[in-house]
Amino acid sequence: MPEAYLYARCASDMAVLYWDKPSLAAADAVYTVFINDKKLADTKKTHCTIQNLVPDTDYTVQVQMGGHWVGGGVVHTDREKHRIDVTTAPYWAKGDGNVMNTAALQRAIDACGPEDILYFPAGDFLTGALRLHSDMEIYLAKGANIIGNANPRNYEPRIPSRFEGVEMQCYSSLLNAGTLDHTQGANCRNITIRGEGSIVSGGQELAMNIIRHERERLQATMPDYAEKSAACENDDTLGGRVRPRLINLSNCENVWIHGITLKNGASWNLHMVYCKNIVTDHCTFISEGVWNGDGWDPDSSEDCTLFAGQFFTGDDAVAIKSGKNPEGNQIGRPCRGIKVFDCRSAFGHGICIGSEMSGGVEDVQIWDCDLENALSGIEIKATPKRGGYVRGVTVRDCISPRVMVHSVPYNDDGAPAPDAPVLTHLTFERLTLTGRALGHDHNWQDVAPIELAGFAQPGHEIKDVLFRDITITAQEPALPLKLCSDVSFTNLCCKPAAK
């Protein structure tokens, strides 16, 4: 679309419109969506799904707010594609949950061209790791589940990947696209994965199987294994870094993931490294009970957008990353142009930037998110030896237990950067902070609604932070602030919630 503030993703019979929240929009602003000059809907969300469209057709769309223009242009629906049903000849995949379909599904993927759509009907399709390619589309019908089990051999061979900020050989994910190369741009483009089905992997059982195997391998081959392991967060850290993600995107561009459930990756559910223009909407992320089980992780990636997501995660719902010292500093590929809006964390840590941010993070916008049931809420974190920066983060119109911008002591192995990180130019506006966090045990705990704690190195305190129109509902709010400067509070209101 030609305008900068209204965007669209189209299939043959539907389109998803989404737009940036105008800077002057009230928290409860109402948007009116028009299609071909006729009013379609009023919505308080900054997105709208249009159904029952005609394939290969232009539609004029426009969004207004209170009679003021927000954005508009022409969207063009996709052409109607040839359906490749994975259960029919010549593939004959079985959706009975027993037959291993890896070879059949890979043949179907390889045969799927730009004019095709790979169709999964209802069923449980057991498979090992699959490899996607450019210019393809996958559709999962309601009740269709692509399922990986807990056997590590089904996620071989290992592939170049990046985990916790370090490039290494990791097990293949259940779905893989692109080839990792931090010196280049995209080598895989134009992939769509959509529908009403699920992609499910082996979760914590798979994770522990891999960790046990990798720990034994490392102990036998690494003379200083014990020393390196002692410097890590816990005994599972080193072995756990080779775990597969559920979906791994490396050096990919223009990927749309819509409507599906992503469940029980052995680590993170969706990881995008050195990618650009990844859009994920109306998806459910489930990894509760999976150690280190993030939901949506852009890593040294640009222009990635997430909205209308539901999260039930064992760790961060969203984790924005850019590498770990010293490698992340040297590669120097920042994560930037990240937008997260209209998302809800039903369980998990919430929305996080870091702690691997040595390549830099900038231009992050978060709005209209419900993180009330999160543990960490909104968090920006780094260790003193990370280097790098986080700057230009704006969070608006969200509910959260707390806002934390702080130095953390964990995940701190590796050689230090020359300087501590720089955390600056942060804006938090129209937030409700409850001071009550939901822990891993599903019990509530009282927390400080705002915590700022920068770095002791001169010039590396947290700087230029604005809190405006903040409502705190904690019973006894405490705001621990240290090693920070140029922090301003405008219209901070304490309204303790009824017990």
Side-chain angles (χ1 to χ4, degrees), residues 425-428 452 462-467 485-488:
H425 301 309
L426 313 174
T427 299
F428 304 94
L452 303 182
I462 298 167
K463 293 177 284 189
D464 190 13
V465 184
L466 170 63
F467 291 90
S485 65
D486 298 320
V487 178
S488 61

Side-chain angles (χ1 to χ4, degrees), residues 224-248:
D224 56 350
Y225 171 81
E227 180 182 348
K228 287 184 178 293
S229 183
C232 293
E233 185 176 348
N234 60 53
D235 291 341
D236 293 334
T237 298
L238 283 183
R241 286 176 176 165
V242 300
R243 288 171 294 158
R245 272 60 88 199
L246 182 66
I247 299 178
N248 177 76

Side-chain angles (χ1 to χ4, degrees), residues 426-499:
L426 313 174
T427 299
F428 304 94
E429 185 175 14
R430 291 196 305 246
L431 305 185
T432 297
L433 304 177
T434 66
R436 297 183 72 242
L438 185 61
H440 289 287
D441 57 1
H442 285 264
N443 290 321
W444 292 96
Q445 54 189 268
D446 292 329
V447 297
I450 297 174
E451 175 189 329
L452 303 182
F455 304 95
Q457 183 176 343
H460 291 266
E461 67 276 5
I462 298 167
K463 293 177 284 189
D464 190 13
V465 184
L466 170 63
F467 291 90
R468 180 166 52 208
D469 298 334
I470 306 297
T471 300
I472 295 177
T473 62
Q475 292 295 320
E476 298 180 4
L479 308 180
L481 311 178
K482 64 181 181 179
L483 297 173
C484 54
S485 65
D486 298 320
V487 178
S488 61
F489 294 89
T490 302
N491 193 23
L492 180 67
C493 180
C494 294
K495 293 182 178 180
K499 291 186 178 179

Side-chain angles (χ1 to χ4, degrees), residues 1 37 39 76 79 85 105 161 184 218 262 279 283 290 324 392 398 449 487 489 492:
M1 301 183 61
D37 297 323
K39 179 179 175 179
H76 188 86
R79 59 202 176 281
D85 188 330
L105 294 180
S161 189
Q184 300 293 328
L218 291 174
L262 305 174
V279 178
C283 291
V290 178
K324 183 176 180 178
C398 296
V487 178
F489 294 89
L492 180 67

Side-chain angles (χ1 to χ4, degrees), residues 246-268:
L246 182 66
I247 299 178
N248 177 76
L249 305 176
S250 297
N251 290 80
C252 289
E253 183 176 9
N254 192 31
V255 176
W256 180 29
I257 302 174
H258 166 82
I260 62 175
T261 296
L262 305 174
K263 183 175 180 180
N264 287 348
S267 55
W268 309 333

Side-chain angles (χ1 to χ4, degrees), residues 154-228:
N154 290 322
Y155 302 86
E156 293 177 338
R158 299 194 189 195
I159 60 172
S161 189
R162 190 193 217 188
F163 192 78
E164 290 190 341
V166 179
E167 293 187 0
M168 62 182 67
Q169 295 286 317
C170 295
Y171 282 87
S172 296
S173 300
L174 195 59
L175 297 186
N176 306 268
T179 302
L180 192 79
D181 185 348
H182 66 254
T183 69
Q184 300 293 328
N187 53 49
C188 187
R189 297 175 173 85
N190 308 328
I191 296 174
T192 296
I193 306 171
R194 65 184 183 95
E196 300 177 79
S198 301
I199 301 173
V200 185
S201 190
Q204 184 69 357
E205 183 181 0
L206 172 61
M208 295 312 299
N209 288 342
I210 287 174
I211 289 169
R212 282 191 291 268
H213 180 273
E214 186 68 3
R215 185 188 292 125
E216 293 172 0
R217 187 185 74 85
L218 291 174
Q219 286 175 332
T221 60
M222 187 187 298
D224 56 350
Y225 171 81
E227 180 182 348
K228 287 184 178 293

